[in-house]
Amino acid sequence: MTTAFQLLSEHASFGGTQRFYQHDSREIGLAMRFSVYLPPAACGPNAGQVPALIYLAGLTCNEETFMVKAGAQRLAAELGLALIAPDTSPRGAKVEGEDASWDFGVGAGFYLDATEAPWSAHWRMESYLMHELLPSIGEQLPIDTRRLGLFGHSMGGHGALTLALRHPGRFRSLSALAPICAPTQCPWGEKAFNGYLGSDRSTWLAHDATALMQSQTAAPFPAGILLDQGLADSFLAEQLHPHLFEAACNAVGQPLTLRRHAGYDHGYYFIQTFVGDHLAHHAAALKASA
């Protein structure tokens, strides 16, 4: 049963509208928030359904961060793309350590379904996104859920890569900015996965983008995946490992454009600089599939 969205606020933006919503989530068992930018083509008396690009944010972020900081609405309006940004994590479960700013440990959503107590009761971000939020958006908003692209940053980049590979055919296009590419091989991922999934490391591989790509028998995104990575990113060497994902793509014949940028760090100035290329990448794929 779909829960009705509650509109919290609405703001005119580049001929379209920026909205922030809340709803009671059956998968999470708590109230969840998300944001939507609807371009002009989805607004007004002649509005129609538009393709959408889902953005998954990183640690310390929420449903507002991308919409406020990335500066993506102008180009989304021009391209006729809706932008959707869910919150990163459950809020208010009163579980010790749930604060998503807590040193990349458990508490941050990581876009998976936890199997270990106490996290398994509410930390069901994969089921929330795939089985609740996206279908509900198609029912309640002028979004064509047959034409969805997926991208994200950092922890959200991990989420974008893994969800796209775990749900073949659900997304028409894929990209990421400074993603955690091999969480089973970095301290952030090891800490979170041990808390959420338990100590059996074999279960972790189902949520590791590099391992998932290695298991492919054909290119899941023949038109290509786009990744951007700043070379001044302080997390690059120890945590992100894009070279491992690159090698996995090469091994299975998945076209990948991995762009490495001197001088750019891990923050939203980096995202602002390259987000336009990501919107264009997705728009080309989503319009081609119309």
Side-chain angles (χ1 to χ4, degrees):
M1 181 177 178
T2 299
T3 302
F5 298 154
Q6 176 189 356
L7 181 64
L8 300 178
S9 66
E10 184 172 17
H11 316 273
S13 177
F14 298 106
T17 181
Q18 176 66 57
R19 297 178 182 175
F20 296 91
Y21 286 100
Q22 179 173 296
H23 70 120
D24 292 327
S25 168
R26 66 174 185 273
E27 291 287 352
I28 301 295
L30 299 165
M32 292 293 290
R33 295 188 176 193
F34 67 96
S35 59
V36 176
Y37 175 72
L38 294 175
C43 302
N46 298 316
Q49 286 192 326
V50 295
L53 181 53
I54 316 301
Y55 175 83
L56 304 182
L59 189 76
T60 76
C61 298
N62 59 27
E63 76 285 352
E64 294 183 332
T65 312
F66 177 79
M67 298 301 185
V68 173
K69 290 187 174 182
Q73 287 91 339
R74 181 192 294 273
L75 184 55
E78 295 174 3
L79 294 173
L81 281 178
L83 302 173
I84 301 168
D87 200 354
T88 63
S89 315
R91 310 279 178 180
K94 299 181 181 178
V95 174
E96 184 179 358
E98 73 173 83
D99 183 353
S101 66
W102 185 50
D103 189 29
F104 261 100
V106 285
F110 267 84
Y111 303 100
L112 51 73
D113 289 356
T115 59
E116 297 295 302
W119 310 103
S120 56
H122 300 290
W123 270 252
R124 297 178 48 79
M125 289 299 294
E126 180 173 5
S127 289
Y128 167 66
L129 291 171
M130 302 305 302
H131 305 312
E132 183 175 7
L133 182 61
L134 294 184
S136 296
I137 281 173
E139 294 171 5
Q140 300 187 50
L141 295 173
I143 303 295
D144 182 354
T145 55
R146 299 166 300 175
R147 292 187 289 157
L148 297 178
L150 184 62
F151 78 142
H153 169 242
S154 191
M155 180 183 75
H158 142 77
L161 296 176
T162 57
L163 292 180
L165 294 173
R166 284 172 57 80
H167 298 271
R170 190 68 181 87
F171 301 99
R172 301 293 181 92
S173 53
L174 176 63
S175 71
L177 295 129
I180 304 171
C181 290
T184 62
Q185 301 182 57
C186 76
W188 285 342
E190 289 177 349
K191 186 173 183 179
F193 285 6
N194 189 69
Y196 288 142
L197 304 175
S199 59
D200 182 358
R201 297 178 69 95
S202 66
T203 65
W204 300 4
L205 296 174
H207 302 280
D208 183 300
T210 295
L212 287 167
M213 185 59 74
Q214 289 170 338
S215 71
Q216 302 297 310
T217 58
F221 290 90
I225 299 170
L226 173 63
L227 261 61
D228 278 299
Q229 176 62 59
L231 294 180
D233 189 325
S234 61
F235 304 120
L236 174 57
E238 186 177 16
Q239 306 285 8
L240 304 181
H241 301 322
H243 64 287
L244 298 179
F245 186 73
E246 181 180 38
C249 287
N250 289 338
V252 301
Q254 168 60 54
L256 172 70
T257 300
L258 173 53
R259 306 190 302 183
R260 297 173 169 90
H261 305 282
Y264 286 91
D265 61 21
H266 198 70
Y268 265 80
Y269 295 113
F270 161 67
I271 294 173
Q272 289 171 8
T273 302
F274 300 108
V275 70
D277 294 340
H278 286 253
L279 266 63
H281 165 81
H282 289 275
L286 297 177
K287 290 184 177 180
S289 63

